[in-house]
Amino acid sequence: MNVSDYDFDLPEELIAQTPLLDRTSSRLLVLHREDGRTEHRTFTDLAEFLKPGDTLVLNDTRVLPARLFGTKSDTGAKVELLLLRRIEGDRWETLVKPGKRVHAGARLSFGSTNEESGDAAKPLLTAVVEEEGDMGARVIRFEYEGIFNELLDRLGQMPLPPYIKERLSDRERYQTVYSRHEGSAAAPTAGLHFTEGYLDRLKAMGVNLCPITLHVGLGTFRPVSAETIEAHEMHAEWYSVSEQSAKLLNEAKAGGGRIVAVGTTSARTLETLGGRFGGGPVQACDGWTDIFIYPGYRFQLVDALITNFHLPKSTLVMLVSGLAGKDNVMNAYREAIDRGYRFFSFGDAMLILGTDAK
């Protein structure tokens, strides 16, 4: 299959630059995958399409303030560092700009503090480049005094995607209200539409909330460069599922309730579990997944999906096409563009439903 089949023209003005003041006030395009029928709603209408016994699967990862701006210790040249994942201890996989000027052995400095004399300054955080990879990828080791997460919170900025040009005034607006476990380089953005109050409303209806964790990593920032889908290699991301969440998933399947993935990261985690346990009962586990879902894939756990509108030719458009069908998704995207829906991280939402919709 050709990657170009998932291309479409998107007016730049439809790329949402800032989040809405009210998380739940976004628009909701409902796509019925059995016949391609669409409905144009608001996000609060989601409750009309859920029923008691349904299970919402929420990725509770929390985004690190993972973008650091510093200098090369020897020349003072400016550098930008994006933390992608912790390898072990103080060693991290990162992206460095400008990558061509930062080689193994280089020392980087971030922030500074005046010593007691007030005359000298030393960096709050330093990093040594240990390994070089492609496209600016570097393995670095941090050196510091104190607590790393406190320094990162002080020095780092939220790693907004490159298509968002506006500065984010409130960091928490790029976190879901249910985020718990730090480790992501980007937010699971479908979850940004929920408030605690709206989740409480769904729980009161009898909808189960099932947290899982998948830390969003390198692939979020890496475009599909291959000409065919089959030639693309997915990145690996770490996931974790607790005993309680495994129990909720098993009960949903046994009781005939639908499993509704909130976001493509939740969907990828669920389908990884489906493959890991062969369609049988899910168990508490963690591990790495590089699952790549596109048309022709047979879903094992996901019955419905809440997602945002994604980049042309992205693996995420391919995933939603795997669930709803390429023609249905491309037609729905054309409708969304014609009607002025907001796209990408701070944009509007889509609900993909199956034949047992209501």
Side-chain angles (χ1 to χ4, degrees):
M1 285 181 279
N2 293 324
V3 172
S4 60
D5 292 340
Y6 297 85
D7 197 9
F8 54 89
D9 292 325
L10 179 68
E12 188 174 352
E13 62 268 21
L14 295 185
I15 300 175
Q17 294 295 314
T18 56
L20 300 175
L21 291 178
D22 178 4
R23 289 176 183 259
T24 61
S25 62
S26 61
R27 298 165 74 182
L28 178 70
L29 190 155
V30 181
L31 173 59
H32 298 267
R33 68 178 192 252
E34 75 278 8
D35 58 8
R37 179 168 52 92
T38 58
E39 299 180 48
H40 299 278
R41 301 292 201 99
T42 60
F43 192 78
T44 50
D45 293 336
L46 174 66
E48 296 182 25
F49 297 93
L50 300 178
K51 57 190 178 184
D54 286 345
T55 297
L56 276 185
V57 180
L58 309 167
N59 183 3
D60 65 4
T61 188
R62 188 166 175 81
V63 185
L64 291 165
R67 179 163 277 124
L68 293 165
F69 294 91
T71 59
K72 290 185 67 178
S73 300
D74 56 350
T75 66
K78 293 182 179 180
V79 295
E80 178 183 336
L81 189 70
L82 177 63
L83 307 185
L84 297 174
R85 69 176 181 93
R86 188 194 298 270
I87 299 172
E88 60 179 356
D90 293 318
R91 298 180 73 240
W92 285 77
E93 178 186 353
T94 70
L95 286 178
V96 177
K97 293 181 181 180
K100 293 181 179 179
R101 299 181 182 178
V102 181
H103 303 291
R107 295 186 68 88
L108 312 177
S109 301
F110 305 94
S112 65
T113 181
N114 290 332
E115 298 192 1
E116 292 182 1
S117 66
D119 298 323
K122 63 179 181 179
L124 288 168
L125 190 64
T126 60
V128 179
V129 179
E130 294 189 337
E131 300 176 21
E132 294 184 47
D134 297 330
M135 301 175 64
R138 299 290 185 272
V139 173
I140 63 95
R141 175 174 47 81
F142 282 110
E143 299 173 353
Y144 55 92
E145 295 180 3
I147 300 173
F148 179 77
N149 280 2
E150 291 182 357
L151 292 172
L152 191 60
D153 191 60
R154 178 175 174 180
L155 298 173
Q157 296 183 15
M158 295 305 284
L160 296 178
Y163 47 76
I164 294 179
K165 310 300 181 184
E166 297 290 330
R167 186 78 175 267
L168 188 64
S169 59
D170 178 8
R171 284 186 181 184
E172 285 303 306
R173 199 55 186 81
Y174 194 56
Q175 306 278 15
T176 63
V177 296
Y178 47 79
S179 64
R180 296 291 181 271
H181 305 291
E182 283 193 334
S184 273
T189 53
L192 297 179
H193 300 284
F194 290 95
T195 62
E196 292 179 353
Y198 197 71
L199 289 171
D200 287 342
R201 175 183 168 186
L202 296 178
K203 286 172 62 178
M205 288 173 46
V207 174
N208 300 310
L209 305 183
C210 175
I212 55 90
T213 304
L214 182 134
H215 290 324
V216 188
L218 177 63
T220 298
F221 301 94
R222 179 173 286 170
V224 178
S225 56
E227 292 185 2
T228 63
I229 291 176
E230 294 82 357
H232 178 68
E233 292 186 12
M234 286 290 287
H235 59 289
E237 295 169 317
W238 185 85
Y239 69 92
S240 179
V241 179
S242 69
E243 288 187 11
Q244 178 60 26
S245 292
K247 181 172 180 286
L248 285 171
L249 294 173
N250 293 330
E251 288 176 348
K253 280 299 183 185
R258 294 173 300 176
I259 294 177
V260 182
V262 178
T264 56
T265 60
S266 294
R268 292 181 70 239
T269 305
L270 288 166
E271 292 307 305
T272 297
L273 296 174
R276 180 167 179 168
F277 297 107
V282 174
Q283 301 175 26
C285 62
D286 57 43
W288 293 89
T289 179
D290 60 358
I291 189 172
F292 186 13
I293 297 172
Y294 51 85
Y297 176 86
R298 183 173 181 178
F299 283 79
Q300 299 187 63
L301 290 181
V302 174
D303 298 308
L305 173 67
I306 300 167
T307 185
N308 280 17
F309 291 91
H310 304 292
L311 284 164
K313 298 195 295 186
S314 67
T315 60
L316 306 182
V317 168
M318 297 168 195
L319 185 153
V320 297
S321 297
L323 181 63
K326 181 177 76 71
D327 290 344
N328 287 344
V329 170
M330 292 295 104
N331 289 336
Y333 269 51
R334 280 191 286 271
E335 273 192 41
I337 291 169
D338 289 343
R339 291 172 177 257
Y341 275 68
R342 289 157 50 94
F343 272 63
F344 305 154
S345 298
F346 292 138
D348 295 313
M350 173 187 280
L351 171 64
I352 298 175
L353 291 172
T355 55
D356 58 348
K358 289 176 70 175

